[in-house]
Amino acid sequence: MIGFIVRTVLTLATLFFTVWLFARGSWGWGITMILPLAILILSFFRHERIILALNQMRTGNTDKAYFHLKKITAPQFMVKKQQAYYYYLIAMLGSQENGLAKSEQLMRKALQLGLRSSMDQAVAHLHLAGMCLQSGRKQEGLKLLDDAKRLDKDGMLGEQIKTMKKQATQVASKNQMRMMQMSGGRMRMGKPR
């Protein structure tokens, strides 16, 4: 919140100073001030912590990526697409810390806000399908896998989708999982005929 206010005040001050320089006739300094102004305006559309987190994920350091994401205190002040990527990354990286239900909620929120690329949407659907299959919602998981396959235009997730579909046939239904929990983890077998 404080970062957003500081960024807004700094951007407005730089804008007024640049306009004042042009009005005064200092064209050289006015043109020079356009670059910092452009960087400040760009910072409203590209949050620096999300850029750092994506860079850390690219290098394979998920702990540092999650550290940068946790530093964002007010995601509601970001642009919609940046909010979507914030929730998308938090759901992917913090699934163990947040729990399955919270991660699913965040991933659905990211899809609702709108991820830019179809590949990111496919990965989000794939993660949601995995969460649904783990919680025993087989039909919803299979539907999400079909959506992921449709969105994966380059075929990069094809092998993972096939593996998850194969595992989905082996996953117990919600009622079977409930019965296993009630019986202490043992499936009761019927009497042989």
Side-chain angles (χ1 to χ4, degrees), residues 31-76:
I31 291 171
T32 304
M33 287 301 294
I34 289 177
L35 179 65
L37 180 63
I39 291 171
L40 286 169
I41 291 173
L42 183 65
S43 72
F44 282 101
F45 299 104
R46 299 279 187 263
H47 199 279
E48 64 275 0
R49 291 284 180 182
I50 291 180
I51 293 170
L52 289 172
L54 286 171
N55 187 35
Q56 290 299 326
M57 280 186 69
R58 196 172 297 124
T59 60
N61 195 345
T62 56
D63 294 334
K64 280 190 178 178
Y66 191 58
F67 170 77
H68 286 300
L69 289 172
K70 286 195 300 187
K71 289 284 188 179
I72 298 174
T73 56
Q76 64 270 20

Side-chain angles (χ1 to χ4, degrees), residues 16-159:
F16 287 130
F17 185 62
T18 305
V19 169
W20 179 76
L21 284 172
F22 278 120
R24 207 180 112 209
S26 300
W27 286 87
W29 283 107
I31 291 171
T32 304
M33 287 301 294
I34 289 177
L35 179 65
L37 180 63
I39 291 171
L40 286 169
I41 291 173
L42 183 65
S43 72
F44 282 101
F45 299 104
R46 299 279 187 263
H47 199 279
E48 64 275 0
R49 291 284 180 182
I50 291 180
I51 293 170
L52 289 172
L54 286 171
N55 187 35
Q56 290 299 326
M57 280 186 69
R58 196 172 297 124
T59 60
N61 195 345
T62 56
D63 294 334
K64 280 190 178 178
Y66 191 58
F67 170 77
H68 286 300
L69 289 172
K70 286 195 300 187
K71 289 284 188 179
I72 298 174
T73 56
Q76 64 270 20
F77 291 115
M78 290 191 284
V79 181
K80 247 185 175 182
K81 296 288 183 187
Q82 289 295 300
Q83 278 184 32
Y85 276 95
Y86 169 76
Y87 293 126
Y88 171 70
L89 292 172
I90 284 286
M92 282 178 52
L93 296 174
S95 59
Q96 290 179 353
E97 188 176 306
N98 294 333
L100 199 61
K102 179 75 173 168
S103 292
E104 182 179 352
Q105 181 185 12
L106 291 172
M107 193 65 81
R108 289 188 189 278
K109 193 170 188 177
L111 284 171
Q112 179 187 6
L113 289 171
L115 296 170
R116 257 186 234 110
S117 71
S118 62
M119 185 63 184
D120 292 334
Q121 292 174 7
V123 170
H125 279 89
L126 188 67
H127 276 277
L128 277 174
M131 291 175 203
C132 288
L133 291 174
Q134 283 181 357
S135 61
R137 294 174 289 165
K138 186 176 176 181
Q139 294 300 322
E140 186 179 355
L142 289 173
K143 182 183 176 297
L144 286 166
L145 281 174
D146 290 338
D147 290 343
K149 187 175 183 179
R150 179 182 47 83
L151 289 167
D152 184 27
K153 295 175 183 166
D154 298 332
M156 293 177 68
L157 300 174
E159 191 64 36

Side-chain angles (χ1 to χ4, degrees), residues 187-193:
M187 283 297 288
R188 293 187 183 173
M189 303 299 287
K191 292 182 182 179
R193 296 182 184 179

Side-chain angles (χ1 to χ4, degrees), residues 1-12 40 44:
M1 176 70 180
I2 294 173
F4 178 75
I5 293 170
V6 169
R7 188 181 300 141
T8 304
V9 169
L10 197 59
T11 303
L12 290 175
L40 286 169
F44 282 101

